[in-house]
Amino acid sequence: SFSSRKRCTVLGLNEYLRQELSSYAAAKNATRRRQVGNCHFLPNSRFVWTGEGRRACQFVLNHSTLEHDFDALMREHGLGIRYLDMSSHAQKLSSASLAAACKKLVPSDIDADNVRRM
């Protein structure tokens, strides 16, 4: 399992994604695909919009301003947690950290709902 591997490293990221994306590809139906990786592969829009098209969240964190938006949300709720507190122990990971083999496993439609709705 991923818990036994080094977390927050290039090696750990690629091993986790290889394992989970392989499971995603092997899933025979949408229900099984939703369950892969404890729902981490669901489009973010599924957590923002209801099936009827109503927005379910009051505060949506924008990826391009994630650090600022996360910190603002924590301040709004009186919490002392900050984005950098959580990420400073990790190696700097980005799309450049992904191995070519992992990139090939990413389904072309995995983010289609986000692009369409967000």
Side-chain angles (χ1 to χ4, degrees):
S1 77
F2 181 67
S3 60
S4 65
R5 293 179 179 80
K6 284 185 123 178
R7 296 173 187 251
C8 302
T9 65
V10 171
L11 180 63
L13 171 70
N14 281 287
E15 179 58 24
Y16 171 76
L17 287 176
R18 185 198 55 74
Q19 183 178 5
E20 295 298 329
L21 289 170
S22 294
S23 295
Y24 186 91
K28 300 294 184 215
N29 59 51
T31 300
R32 290 248 190 245
R33 282 189 167 190
R34 283 193 295 270
Q35 297 167 347
V36 171
N38 293 323
C39 300
H40 285 102
F41 292 91
L42 283 176
N44 294 332
S45 59
R46 298 274 174 94
F47 297 99
V48 176
W49 303 94
T50 68
E52 294 78 33
R54 289 189 317 271
R55 187 169 161 172
C57 296
Q58 294 176 2
F59 199 101
V60 176
L61 304 178
N62 185 318
H63 190 266
S64 64
T65 56
L66 182 59
E67 183 177 340
H68 173 270
D69 290 354
F70 180 86
D71 290 350
L73 179 63
M74 295 301 106
R75 278 192 301 276
E76 182 178 312
H77 290 279
L79 300 171
I81 302 167
R82 296 297 176 259
Y83 182 82
L84 288 178
D85 295 341
M86 298 184 321
S87 63
S88 61
H89 68 284
Q91 283 185 6
K92 296 296 180 190
L93 300 173
S94 71
S95 59
S97 305
L98 295 178
C102 283
K103 288 179 184 179
K104 288 180 183 178
L105 291 171
V106 177
S108 60
D109 66 341
I110 199 166
D111 205 32
D113 197 39
N114 276 346
V115 171
R116 183 175 54 79
R117 299 189 79 180
M118 303 287 277

